[in-house]
Amino acid sequence: ADALCVRLDTEDTPQGLQDLFAVVQAAKRVPVLARDWIIHPLQLVDAKEAGAAGVLGVVGQVNGRGTAVMSSFGAAIGLDAPVEVVNAREMEGLARAGVTFFGINLSVGLSVAVPGFASDMAHGLLGELPFGAISIVGVKDVEQARKARLSGADALLVKKEMIDAAAAAGVDLRTLLDQVFCVTCGDD
């Protein structure tokens, strides 16, 4: 793996920061991301102190200004902190406020039951990224991974649904990740 992600939400684990610390200690050569609904700067400090390389889940506050402040504070203390966006208008506003790392389809459900909707939305948003911005796109299957990479995604977040579907089909994690790598690396 290029990075690992540990959920901190109390619905997933009663000891999120302890879990994060344990994974960071066990995976010394792999960056570990903390995933939670980040609504306060102290959550960023806690994640950094536990050893996280970044956080997923910086939540837009009542106005976009708070989101930009959280993102820049995360960067100032050495955390990668993408801000999830769901439309071009939101992305433009956050870019004007200084956000440079955007997440697409990470937790907010670009999951309307129309075939291709999430991929089409991600493609459109990736095409609207400001020059120099960085993107991470959540993907639920190998085809979404391929489309996201072709659309310009800088990084992919393999979602739990993808791993669960592969396991149900009898595909082990290594094989799944090899498939993702094969369709995203641009090497035949």
Side-chain angles (χ1 to χ4, degrees), residues 19 21 31 41 91 93 96 107-108 120 132 137 142:
D19 294 345
F21 182 77
M91 184 171 44
R96 280 193 303 275
S107 60
V108 176
D120 291 347
V137 177
V142 173

Side-chain angles (χ1 to χ4, degrees), residues 11-124:
E11 290 182 17
D12 296 311
T13 175
Q15 301 166 340
L17 287 173
Q18 291 173 354
D19 294 345
L20 175 61
F21 182 77
V23 171
V24 167
Q25 294 306 303
K28 297 232 183 256
R29 294 188 183 110
V30 178
V32 179
L33 307 173
R35 182 172 182 135
D36 199 353
W37 296 106
I38 307 295
I39 59 173
H40 195 279
L42 287 178
Q43 291 175 279
L44 296 172
V45 172
D46 288 343
K48 179 67 176 176
E49 288 179 350
V55 296
L56 297 176
V58 173
V59 174
Q61 313 206 329
V62 175
N63 64 37
R65 190 174 188 292
T67 303
V69 169
M70 292 281 283
S71 179
S72 63
F73 178 74
I77 64 172
L79 289 173
D80 288 326
V83 175
E84 188 160 11
V85 293
V86 296
N87 61 55
R89 182 175 170 203
E90 182 179 39
M91 184 171 44
E92 290 166 6
L94 289 167
R96 280 193 303 275
V99 173
T100 60
F101 193 179
F102 295 94
I104 300 168
N105 200 23
L106 300 178
S107 60
V108 176
L110 297 181
S111 58
V112 173
V114 174
F117 179 79
S119 294
D120 291 347
M121 284 295 296
H123 172 77

Side-chain angles (χ1 to χ4, degrees), residues 158-175:
V158 174
K159 297 182 107 177
K160 185 176 184 318
E161 295 92 336
M162 183 185 222
I163 295 169
D164 291 346
V171 176
D172 65 40
L173 186 56
R174 177 77 265 159
T175 301

